[in-house]
Amino acid sequence: MRKIMALENVGPALRGVLARINEAVEKRPENLPKVVPRLVAVSKTKPVEYILEAYEHGQRNFGENYVQELAKKASDPRLHQLSDLKWHFIGHLQRNKCNNLTAIPNLFMVETINSTQLATALNKSWGRTDNKEPLKVMVEVNTSNEKSKMGCGSDDCCSIVNFIIQNCPNLKFIGLMTIGQYNYDWGKHGPNPDFMCLMRCQENVCEKLNMPQDQVELSMGMSSDFDKAILMGSTNVRVGSTIFGERDPTTKKGSTESEEKTAANKDNKSEPEKDEKPELSSNLKKLALA
């Protein structure tokens, strides 16, 4: 009964999220484009039935954190036949898992490139596939400088982006991604400093690499703060529990999740550099004062 009720709630919950997205877009400052952000429905640990239900209600972009879980779902005949379904990989990717990931049908984007070594491995792996179009990628930035989180330091962001553009013909850089602090109190502290940091990274990339701002997306905002992230310029939001409900502790991927996290810590050799918090640009000042 609990599962049936949860499935029945997916459609209304999805519509509610889309309504909040559109409302946030209309409230954006005039200096930000009125572009409707891409909604990535985070389906990790949720069964295929939940994905199918969201798909029936018009959702096409889905996010997964673990290669093994994504591969299993993508191979399900019910999902495999949906040619317009788009998978986003939003978890930490180990270099030795690149071949497994690129073999997954309908892989649309990898949002968590955090080093030139990973970019090189993924570029080679995608080049071995039959895909004719470059794989869309984002560079993940650890804006909160937390050791428990992956991502490059904000000072390294621009060089990784430049490396991808210059040396990875099988990858297409489209933006920057961050997770940021959990349970940040907007009412008490104002605009999220992690989102402000990612916006500074975007400005830095655009300035140093001579790229238009609309060619560098920002993937920031999750269930607890996606509408606020949109107000600050997010073009890609990752929403899970608000659509699918809270994760059931009994369905967590136990050994798989633990093994991938352990390997992720080993794979993340260098600690991100501290963000120097340079003076805000005029656009950021407007947001901070809003």
Side-chain angles (χ1 to χ4, degrees), residues 95-109:
R95 294 194 293 276
N96 62 2
K97 294 289 183 70
C98 285
N99 288 339
N100 294 359
L101 181 63
T102 56
I104 293 174
N106 292 337
L107 180 65
F108 179 73
M109 186 187 304

Side-chain angles (χ1 to χ4, degrees), residues 145-160:
N145 291 316
E146 297 177 66
K147 293 182 179 179
S148 60
K149 292 178 181 176
M150 299 298 145
C152 67
S154 56
D155 292 338
D156 300 323
C157 171
C158 192
S159 62
I160 295 175

Side-chain angles (χ1 to χ4, degrees), residues 2-276:
R2 179 179 178 183
K3 181 177 180 180
I4 294 175
M5 290 178 63
L7 279 173
E8 291 178 346
N9 288 334
V10 169
L14 181 60
R15 289 193 292 273
V17 169
L18 291 172
R20 288 172 61 185
I21 288 176
N22 289 324
E23 182 179 350
V25 169
E26 291 302 315
K27 293 180 179 179
R28 271 179 172 167
E30 293 183 359
N31 60 298
L32 294 177
K34 298 291 185 181
V35 177
V36 178
R38 180 189 303 105
L39 170 62
V40 178
V42 180
S43 49
K44 69 174 183 178
T45 77
K46 296 297 181 179
V48 168
E49 288 79 7
Y50 283 64
I51 299 174
L52 288 169
E53 185 71 14
Y55 182 91
E56 288 298 316
H57 286 86
Q59 181 61 25
R60 293 295 181 267
N61 293 276
F62 294 88
E64 291 286 337
N65 284 60
Y66 304 105
V67 175
Q68 183 176 335
E69 182 180 0
L70 173 53
K72 182 177 180 180
K73 289 178 177 177
S75 64
D76 187 293
R78 294 169 293 175
L79 296 181
H80 186 73
Q81 66 180 348
L82 304 176
S83 60
D84 58 343
L85 187 150
K86 301 175 181 178
W87 292 114
H88 292 238
F89 188 74
I90 59 175
H92 176 71
L93 177 62
Q94 301 161 241
R95 294 194 293 276
N96 62 2
K97 294 289 183 70
C98 285
N99 288 339
N100 294 359
L101 181 63
T102 56
I104 293 174
N106 292 337
L107 180 65
F108 179 73
M109 186 187 304
V110 175
E111 297 192 22
T112 49
I113 300 298
N114 57 19
S115 69
T116 58
Q117 293 88 346
L118 178 57
T120 298
L122 188 62
N123 178 68
K124 291 181 179 178
S125 183
W126 189 254
R128 298 188 190 104
T129 69
D130 295 328
N131 296 286
K132 297 180 180 179
E133 297 295 325
L135 175 64
K136 296 178 178 64
V137 299
M138 290 187 174
V139 171
E140 181 182 13
V141 185
N142 185 348
T143 53
S144 57
N145 291 316
E146 297 177 66
K147 293 182 179 179
S148 60
K149 292 178 181 176
M150 299 298 145
C152 67
S154 56
D155 292 338
D156 300 323
C157 171
C158 192
S159 62
I160 295 175
V161 172
N162 186 54
F163 179 87
I164 293 172
I165 294 173
Q166 298 296 329
N167 301 282
C168 300
N170 300 314
L171 305 181
K172 182 178 180 180
F173 168 75
I174 68 162
L176 307 173
M177 177 267 217
T178 193
I179 295 176
Q181 302 176 48
Y182 295 116
N183 301 317
Y184 178 80
D185 191 335
W186 291 77
K188 184 177 181 180
H189 302 296
N192 192 318
D194 295 314
F195 295 171
M196 301 288 275
C197 178
L198 198 68
M199 293 172 71
R200 283 194 292 270
C201 289
Q202 180 194 48
E203 290 185 347
N204 190 38
V205 167
C206 291
E207 179 181 351
K208 291 187 176 181
L209 303 182
N210 194 28
M211 298 180 68
Q213 185 175 350
D214 61 5
Q215 290 186 16
V216 182
E217 292 196 32
L218 294 178
S219 177
M220 56 188 193
M222 298 186 287
S223 283
S224 63
D225 56 10
F226 69 88
D227 44 1
K228 296 181 179 63
I230 292 171
L231 291 176
M232 297 181 69
S234 179
T235 60
N236 188 84
V237 292
R238 311 177 305 274
V239 181
S241 60
T242 302
I243 297 173
F244 297 114
E246 297 294 336
R247 287 195 294 163
D248 186 341
T250 61
T251 65
K252 287 184 179 179
K253 297 188 69 61
S255 59
T256 299
E257 187 169 349
S258 176
E259 288 172 5
E260 294 215 17
K261 284 186 176 180
T262 300
N265 289 331
K266 293 180 179 179
D267 205 33
N268 192 40
K269 301 293 184 181
S270 59
E271 182 179 345
E273 296 180 22
K274 298 292 182 180
D275 181 19
E276 295 296 332

